[in-house]
Amino acid sequence: MKIRVERDGLADAVAWVARSLPSRPPVPVLGGILLDASNSDALTISGFDYEVSATVGVAATVADGGRTLVSGRLLADITKALPAQPVEIMVDGARVSITCGSAKFSLPTMPVEDYPQLPAMPPHAGELPGEVFGLAVSQVAVAAGKDDTLPMLTGVRLEINGDKLTLVATDRFRLAMREFEWKPAPSMTETGEVAVLVPARTLAEAAKALGTAGKTVEIAHGDGLIGLSGSGRRTTSRLLDTEFPRYRQLLPSEQTAAAIIDVAPLVEAIKRVSLVAERGTQVRLEFSESGLKLSAGGDDEGSAEEELGVEYTGEPVTIAFNPTFLQEGLGALHADRAELSFTTPSRPALIKPVDDEGNVVPGYLHLLMPVRLPG
Amino acid sequence: MGRSGDLPRGLVDRYKARDGRWPDDTGCHVLHVDMDAFYASVEIRERPELRDRPVVVGGTGGRGVVSSANYLARTFGVRSAMPTAHARRLCPKAVFLPPTFSLYQDVSAGVMAIFRDVTPLVEPLSLDEAFLDVSGALRQLRLTSGQIAERIRARVAAEHGITCSVGIGSTKFVAKLASGLCKPDGMLVVPGDEVLAFLHPLPVSALWGVGKRTAERMAEVGLHRVGDVAATPLPRLRRTLGNAAAEHLHALANGHDDRTVEPESVDKSVGAEETFEVDRTDREGLRQELLHLSERTAAALRRRGLRGRTVSIKVRFGDFTTITRSRTLSVATDVTQEIYRTACRLLDEQTPPGPVRLIGVRVEQLGEDAAQQLFLDAPERGWRDADQAADQARAKFGGAAVRPASLLARNPDERTHYRQ
């Protein structure tokens, strides 16, 4: 194999594929990146660890076709550090040389024969604009569990119902749900509702890479896999094979109090008062018609409070939240104003985006479980 | 601490009461109270017929070690931390008893309560020893340190049927040395202006931080007694011992110890561990042990009203290599099942295979449990309620009243009992 590629395209492609590689590969080849120059005018760069695969093509001048497997981590570090000049990659026996300007690297290769076959892309299910997909995933994945002792909570549930796509995630402390329209494949309109559970981390990574404005993201599904593609990049992931909680029955059906509030000043105030809240302890919100009082801490660690103007309807209430969860929920709205609604201090609260007229923008909700205060 | 055999004759007697009068204890506000052969004494109190026999408390299994031996057993050479099998060879006539920790905890709590009647500044070091700062009590009770110590000794004996020894000094270091030198059932006062006279004849191993290896290294350069260390210029000590150790030991040898008595420090972590009689390789058995340890850890957390965010396991392999692996939860817990589930994950995913000698569970990043993060799909009654109900049953009917079904086959008192 002997090829020449542009440095920037190569570095981006390698960095993206390397991101999906396992940090501690169970066998060395799974930590490798496959460079495939079998086609005459492109280099295909892939990684696969039996869970997630990533493939991207970059334009290349191929003098000699062929395939080789090298350490993904090392290749990513090297390509990132190369000067902005054409890169020549050449395989010579069991080593591969990378030359760029006056820099020259020689790396050992791993046996291509031992590398697993990448899964084929499953059948096409539908498509949507990149920016819509990117935003929706980021709004929902924030609520997914990071604790893999509860695997069913580490995924984002993706529900396809005709031209409606719903994304949901919950770690039991909060739940985020986004509903929006997309363009299903003709075959999907007859299958009725389809729901799959996609590892949240993989989905978030893919959405970052594919969710570019002006590009289209294609979603494919079948055979226990989800496929996502766009902008010349393709990724597949094994679906989580566990039951997602029955969440719809957990969503509050009523609210007795609601506040409409500007998001940015609220987030700033939460950051300030929670300085005295030791890690993981709560910030208290006292709502009344005269406004919102935030407070945190106590006699021992120091205390803080701050007042904000708020449009509030309902009986006065004091409710407490984990400040990190509250900030993340407000941040996930991607809106300037928010509605906070609740019933009692020990029942779920909802945060929704609000438009300039003070009306709730449908399509997104973020549920937060409060912290029960002593006494 | 060196054995008293290394001590110059007469040294200790100088600081004991003579004709009912104690040495001048002005400025001696630190008491170190140490129960004598604590576990063994408590066992003998429960069974007075053992009073005149050698009694050894410890693990009775193949790998058990001696936790405590009464003074009669010690005359045969039995010492704490010695393998029980060795103790049996030294003293075959001794009565060997497995420890009953719940009993020692009760007695310990009672003894600590006596200390706290005297002063709030009580720093327990373990179940059977504590430092007391009595400077406030001296003014309030219009007693001398020596009189306070005599009262404490009398109350412990009267109320709990065991003896203790008290060292009295101007610093923690001196007080602790003094109690060690007057055991059993004794009391020693080291007056403030005699600290150096008291310290300097002692072997270097009396210095806090000097173990066998350091003592050997010090002997090579001619440092045998504490006085030798005090007389050596710091730069020379630094060359032998390194900077930190040199400064620390030089200060101690000159009677300087600025550690204050810290009452009941806030716990940084709570945990439990188990050493096996025979190295174990079966993961199912290890998981079962993790359940047992998680249960003990979670119960200890709940008893103290604490929750922790980080769960860690410690695994010591047959070749003594030891690893710890930890994971931080999003919300602090005191629930057995949550600790157990996390501990199992750490075992399954981050622990290499191999014969395991010791396994432990620990919960860190502790906080008080006043406020409670609520769960979305929490059932009306969850694991936490089950744990609390079990705590209540155990409080009423004893430790074995409620146990996870998978641990039922085990004998609760014989903590290292396994069927292979």
Side-chain angles (χ1 to χ4, degrees):
Chain A
M1 186 175 108
K2 185 178 176 185
I3 58 162
R4 175 181 279 254
V5 294
E6 286 307 312
R7 183 262 176 201
D8 287 355
L10 176 70
D12 287 352
V14 170
W16 181 64
V17 172
R19 211 168 294 152
S20 66
L21 296 177
S23 50
R24 276 176 292 188
V27 286
V29 288
L30 296 185
I33 279 184
L34 187 67
L35 301 175
D36 187 341
S38 307
N39 294 333
S40 58
D41 56 353
L43 170 68
T44 307
I45 302 167
S46 331
F48 181 44
D49 68 349
Y50 289 103
E51 293 290 324
V52 178
S53 80
T55 302
V56 53
V58 291
T61 314
V62 179
D64 250 335
R67 308 197 308 158
T68 189
L69 184 64
V70 293
S71 155
R73 193 89 22 221
L74 200 51
L75 187 63
D77 287 346
I78 289 172
T79 52
K80 193 170 68 182
L82 288 177
Q85 289 185 37
V87 183
E88 196 179 88
I89 302 175
M90 198 170 75
V91 176
D92 184 11
R95 300 189 77 80
V96 59
S97 71
I98 300 169
T99 316
C100 179
S102 55
K104 194 168 176 183
F105 294 86
S106 171
L107 310 180
T109 61
M110 293 185 275
V112 175
E113 317 79 77
D114 295 351
Y115 200 67
Q117 173 83 39
L118 264 69
M121 206 63 173
H124 179 64
E127 61 183 53
L128 70 165
E131 67 272 22
V132 174
F133 181 66
L135 175 64
V137 170
S138 74
Q139 285 184 299
V140 170
V142 66
K146 282 143 201 92
D147 175 3
D148 51 16
T149 59
L150 299 165
M152 66 286 204
L153 300 179
T154 60
V156 171
R157 180 176 161 99
L158 203 140
E159 295 173 4
I160 302 169
N161 200 345
D163 60 0
K164 200 175 81 180
L165 197 59
T166 306
L167 302 184
V168 198
T170 180
D171 61 2
R172 293 195 297 166
F173 310 122
R174 59 245 169 106
L175 177 147
M177 176 165 93
R178 178 72 206 269
E179 289 177 317
F180 52 98
E181 293 192 344
W182 76 321
K183 209 166 116 193
S187 60
M188 289 304 292
T189 48
E190 291 133 37
T191 47
E193 192 184 289
V194 174
V196 296
L197 196 57
V198 189
R201 212 176 67 92
T202 311
L203 189 66
E205 286 287 346
K208 250 186 257 166
L210 309 177
T212 340
K215 305 278 180 159
T216 299
V217 172
E218 292 184 25
I219 298 180
H221 161 247
D223 211 17
L225 287 181
I226 186 166
L228 299 161
S229 56
S231 320
R233 294 171 174 190
R234 290 194 316 247
T235 180
T236 64
S237 169
R238 203 190 284 262
L239 297 170
L240 289 171
D241 187 20
T242 57
E243 195 79 8
F244 193 72
R246 295 159 169 276
Y247 67 94
R248 286 194 191 267
Q249 65 203 40
L250 301 172
L251 300 178
S253 52
E254 50 162 17
Q255 62 184 59
T256 55
I260 292 179
I261 191 160
D262 291 331
V263 170
L266 177 58
V267 169
E268 288 304 309
I270 295 166
K271 278 188 193 158
R272 270 191 296 272
V273 299
S274 56
L275 290 175
V276 293
E278 281 179 49
R279 256 183 77 188
T281 57
Q282 66 282 355
V283 50
R284 297 176 290 273
L285 281 67
E286 284 179 64
F287 288 98
S288 67
E289 270 173 33
S290 61
L292 163 63
K293 188 169 102 181
L294 285 105
S295 59
D299 293 341
D300 293 342
E301 64 270 50
S303 60
E305 58 176 61
E306 183 156 349
E307 291 190 30
L308 288 176
V310 57
E311 289 170 39
Y312 184 71
T313 47
E315 294 291 309
V317 70
T318 300
I319 188 165
F321 298 103
N322 173 315
T324 307
F325 294 167
L326 185 55
Q327 279 176 59
E328 287 179 349
L330 289 164
L333 298 180
H334 288 272
D336 293 336
R337 302 177 79 200
E339 184 200 72
L340 267 74
S341 62
F342 29 76
T343 50
T344 70
S346 59
R347 304 198 66 83
L350 287 180
I351 315 177
K352 295 174 186 168
V354 162
D355 64 17
D356 293 340
E357 278 82 52
N359 298 316
V360 168
V361 182
Y364 184 71
L365 68 82
H366 197 100
L367 178 152
L368 269 187
M369 289 307 291
V371 172
R372 183 188 286 146
L373 293 169
Chain B
M1 162 83 234
R3 303 269 169 242
S4 37
D6 304 341
L7 288 177
R9 298 240 160 251
L11 175 70
V12 169
D13 293 333
R14 266 175 73 182
Y15 304 108
K16 287 195 170 160
R18 243 170 304 181
D19 310 325
R21 285 176 53 96
W22 287 95
D24 176 21
D25 57 11
T26 318
C28 292
H29 61 285
V30 180
L31 267 57
H32 180 255
V33 188
D34 198 355
M35 303 298 123
D36 301 318
F38 182 54
Y39 298 174
S41 305
V42 173
E43 294 293 346
I44 293 169
R45 182 192 80 172
E46 297 297 301
R47 307 174 212 193
E49 70 273 16
L50 299 180
R51 187 162 297 275
D52 299 317
R53 300 188 57 186
V55 174
V56 178
V57 177
T60 47
R63 268 188 187 162
V65 293
V66 173
S67 307
S68 175
N70 70 351
Y71 285 83
L72 200 50
R74 292 186 198 193
T75 59
F76 292 88
V78 177
R79 297 280 181 273
S80 312
M82 155 187 293
T84 308
H86 187 194
R88 271 187 213 282
R89 282 196 296 277
L90 290 173
C91 185
K93 287 186 306 186
V95 179
F96 287 83
L97 300 169
T100 29
F101 286 103
S102 52
L103 179 60
Y104 312 147
Q105 275 163 356
D106 287 350
V107 177
S108 173
V111 170
M112 297 291 168
I114 293 176
F115 301 164
R116 290 198 181 89
D117 279 351
V118 174
T119 170
L121 298 179
V122 176
E123 179 182 342
L125 300 177
S126 63
L127 281 183
D128 61 347
E129 57 178 318
F131 281 118
L132 280 65
D133 182 331
V134 296
S135 40
L138 294 178
R139 285 190 298 273
Q140 229 170 29
L141 303 175
R142 293 176 188 282
L143 295 172
T144 65
S145 304
Q147 287 166 327
I148 289 177
E150 282 187 324
R151 286 195 174 191
I152 289 175
R153 279 168 33 77
R155 272 191 71 185
V156 169
E159 295 173 27
H160 296 284
I162 56 173
T163 61
C164 62
S165 300
V166 184
I168 304 167
S170 49
T171 62
K172 276 182 162 181
F173 172 53
V174 169
K176 175 142 183 160
L177 275 180
S179 72
L181 293 176
C182 61
K183 283 185 148 298
D185 198 13
M187 185 171 138
L188 208 60
V189 178
V190 181
D193 54 4
E194 287 193 44
V195 166
L196 296 183
F198 169 73
L199 287 178
H200 286 180
L202 298 177
V204 289
S205 58
L207 291 170
W208 164 55
V210 176
K212 204 172 151 219
R213 297 283 298 279
T214 313
E216 282 168 11
R217 209 163 58 231
M218 293 170 83
E220 282 167 21
V221 295
L223 301 172
H224 302 283
R225 303 273 161 198
V226 174
D228 301 337
V229 179
T232 306
L234 247 180
R236 243 193 76 203
L237 275 184
R238 285 204 182 100
R239 280 198 295 280
T240 316
L241 302 165
N243 284 348
E247 273 160 41
H248 162 77
L249 296 179
H250 195 257
L252 286 183
N254 284 296
H256 301 305
D257 173 15
D258 53 11
R259 292 173 300 157
T260 53
V261 175
E262 303 287 345
E264 191 82 287
S265 53
V266 178
D267 294 308
K268 290 210 174 67
S269 69
V270 169
E273 55 187 50
E274 187 68 67
T275 304
F276 302 124
E277 279 179 45
V278 178
D279 292 348
R280 297 186 66 122
T281 48
D282 63 313
R283 288 287 164 128
E284 197 42 53
L286 290 173
R287 273 192 288 271
Q288 203 186 62
E289 186 57 41
L290 286 178
L291 175 58
H292 175 55
L293 295 170
S294 300
E295 195 189 33
R296 277 168 55 189
T297 304
L301 285 170
R302 292 192 297 272
R303 204 162 49 236
R304 297 175 209 192
L306 295 171
R307 289 162 198 243
R309 283 190 67 198
T310 301
V311 176
S312 69
I313 65 168
K314 171 163 119 184
V315 179
R316 176 167 296 149
F317 293 98
D319 61 359
F320 277 86
T321 55
T322 306
I323 60 164
T324 51
R325 295 288 180 265
S326 68
R327 184 187 294 263
T328 299
L329 309 173
S330 40
V331 168
T333 187
D334 61 359
V335 177
T336 301
Q337 277 296 323
E338 287 175 13
I339 296 168
Y340 169 60
R341 213 170 48 212
T342 309
C344 276
R345 274 276 161 155
L346 292 168
L347 178 73
D348 292 344
E349 291 173 3
Q350 299 189 28
T351 309
V356 173
R357 177 186 173 86
L358 170 151
I359 195 162
V361 171
R362 186 156 287 280
V363 175
E364 294 154 74
Q365 287 210 68
L366 303 182
E368 295 194 0
D369 67 349
Q372 187 185 355
Q373 169 72 50
L374 300 171
F375 291 105
L376 181 55
D377 55 346
E380 199 68 7
R381 301 228 167 259
W383 281 112
R384 187 150 209 287
D385 302 280
D387 280 348
Q388 281 168 345
D391 286 347
Q392 282 167 15
R394 286 191 205 104
K396 217 169 179 175
F397 304 112
V402 183
R403 332 195 62 213
S406 56
L407 298 180
L408 278 181
R410 302 167 50 144
N411 173 353
D413 280 333
E414 188 126 352
R415 300 177 333 126
T416 49
H417 171 82
Y418 290 97
R419 288 178 296 180
Q420 291 294 316

